[in-house]
Amino acid sequence: MSIRETDIPALARGCAVLGTGGGGDVRAGSLAAVRAIRAYGPVPLVRLAELPPDALVVPLSGIGAPTVSHEMIHGEDEPKRIAEEVERLFGRPPAAVMSSEIGGSNGVAPVAWAAQLGLPLLDADGMGRAFPEVQMVSMYVAGLPADLVIMSDVAGNVVTIRPVDGLWSERLARAVCVAAGSSALMADYVLTAGRARGAVVEGTVTRALEIGRATEDATDPLTSLAAELGAVRLITGKLTDVERRTTGGFVRGTATIEGTGDDRGRTLVLELQNENLVAVEDNQVRAMVPDLITVVDTETAAAIQTEGLRYGQRVTVLAWPCDPLWRTRKGLDTAGPRAFGYDLDYVPVEELAHG
């Protein structure tokens, strides 16, 4: 299978949903992907089993604040500089590109980066969604060493970091990102296909396409999307307050939705750090990380990223279960509520919905 220009709209819709508010605006990634496919041709989509064990896989993603990245758009030079650095360090060129996070623009833009490098795209990612911090990837949860990060920015800088662990990879990469204007391209966990087995979330590009296609020509896009996701509808209403600030390379804040129609009289508050992390109603948690929480337009079911939230929007908030890997002890230690500073014991969204 190859990803063609006609696949990009569905891919973008699916990645926006999986972005849970983060991962960057899919419009920029879509434009880059379409342009690259027109210039270089369709991008082969390969399964991990199709790659030889020693093939080098390069996970790529934009790092930084989404409010900045959709204005400071990556060009063709950054992925090429990173690929050159990978070849210099390993003595052989990369064999495939992988999205570090399937959510948001970081799920769409790798199509462009793969096309520009003349490489296939691996049908996998490191999250099954979007997360804000470098160590919040499946490779870290699987116990692979986070001993190499390569970054490049629009100014042409290339930085290679040799961190001692995943937490240091976040601190150091974030500092470089802030110095680069809160937006850079990053390769972390460069690994062989053999080591990737069991350490990445497979099939996520295909899954994003399925989610994106679920609303195509649907008479009731919201119901179709919720059914495809197996999602709980937390509230339907109007955005009445958005508090958002960009600090330390993140977008942080809250969004308040007041219910309308059958939900009139109810109020849901979302806590944000690039992504939607926790949903609270009447001091009761309705959903929390690592489960996915996404804000969508009530009429079209199009996902709305955190930087796109505006007063008066008519929205519905959906929540659904994360990949099982994130519900393991190491997964929750890495990206559960306490990893973000919330004094909460994780409870799966399906239990909260029926509790």
Side-chain angles (χ1 to χ4, degrees), residues 137-162:
V137 290
S138 58
M139 295 81 82
Y140 178 75
V141 176
L144 297 186
D147 54 4
L148 175 65
V149 178
I150 305 169
M151 301 175 68
S152 183
D153 65 10
V154 295
N157 296 302
V158 177
V159 177
T160 298
I161 305 169
R162 294 285 192 176

Side-chain angles (χ1 to χ4, degrees), residues 204-241:
T204 48
V205 178
T206 298
R207 181 66 182 134
L209 285 164
E210 291 169 349
I211 293 168
R213 288 171 179 147
T215 57
E216 285 180 351
D217 304 320
T219 54
D220 185 347
L222 182 60
T223 299
S224 296
L225 178 62
E228 178 66 32
L229 297 170
V232 176
R233 187 181 62 81
L234 299 183
I235 197 169
T236 293
K238 183 176 80 169
L239 261 168
T240 57
D241 188 44

Side-chain angles (χ1 to χ4, degrees), residues 1-189:
M1 175 186 173
S2 292
I3 297 180
R4 304 178 182 279
E5 182 179 340
T6 52
D7 296 316
I8 298 303
L11 179 64
R13 284 194 299 273
C15 289
V17 170
L18 292 171
T20 63
D25 191 325
V26 294
R27 291 174 295 183
S30 297
L31 289 171
V34 167
R35 181 179 176 183
I37 289 172
R38 288 176 179 174
Y40 302 102
V43 174
L45 184 66
V46 298
R47 293 178 295 110
L48 196 53
E50 297 175 56
L51 296 176
D54 62 347
L56 279 180
V57 177
V58 180
L60 287 175
S61 66
I63 177 176
T67 46
V68 174
S69 61
H70 78 280
E71 295 181 4
M72 192 183 293
I73 299 171
H74 299 296
E76 293 193 20
D77 292 336
E78 291 99 309
K80 290 178 180 176
R81 284 193 291 262
I82 287 177
E84 288 167 0
E85 183 69 359
V86 168
E87 185 168 3
R88 186 184 73 82
L89 292 170
F90 288 86
R92 62 189 193 278
V97 167
M98 183 182 87
S99 168
S100 294
E101 62 177 355
I102 195 62
S105 187
N106 276 331
V108 187
V111 175
W113 302 330
Q116 291 159 4
L117 295 173
L119 296 175
L121 179 67
L122 185 63
D123 190 6
D125 83 307
M127 299 182 192
R129 48 162 297 158
F131 279 125
E133 298 185 13
V134 174
Q135 80 283 5
M136 294 175 176
V137 290
S138 58
M139 295 81 82
Y140 178 75
V141 176
L144 297 186
D147 54 4
L148 175 65
V149 178
I150 305 169
M151 301 175 68
S152 183
D153 65 10
V154 295
N157 296 302
V158 177
V159 177
T160 298
I161 305 169
R162 294 285 192 176
V164 295
D165 60 28
L167 297 177
W168 272 107
S169 72
E170 161 61 26
R171 294 187 190 108
L172 296 172
R174 192 68 51 182
V176 172
C177 170
V178 170
S182 287
S183 183
L185 186 64
M186 176 179 69
D188 58 339
Y189 283 97

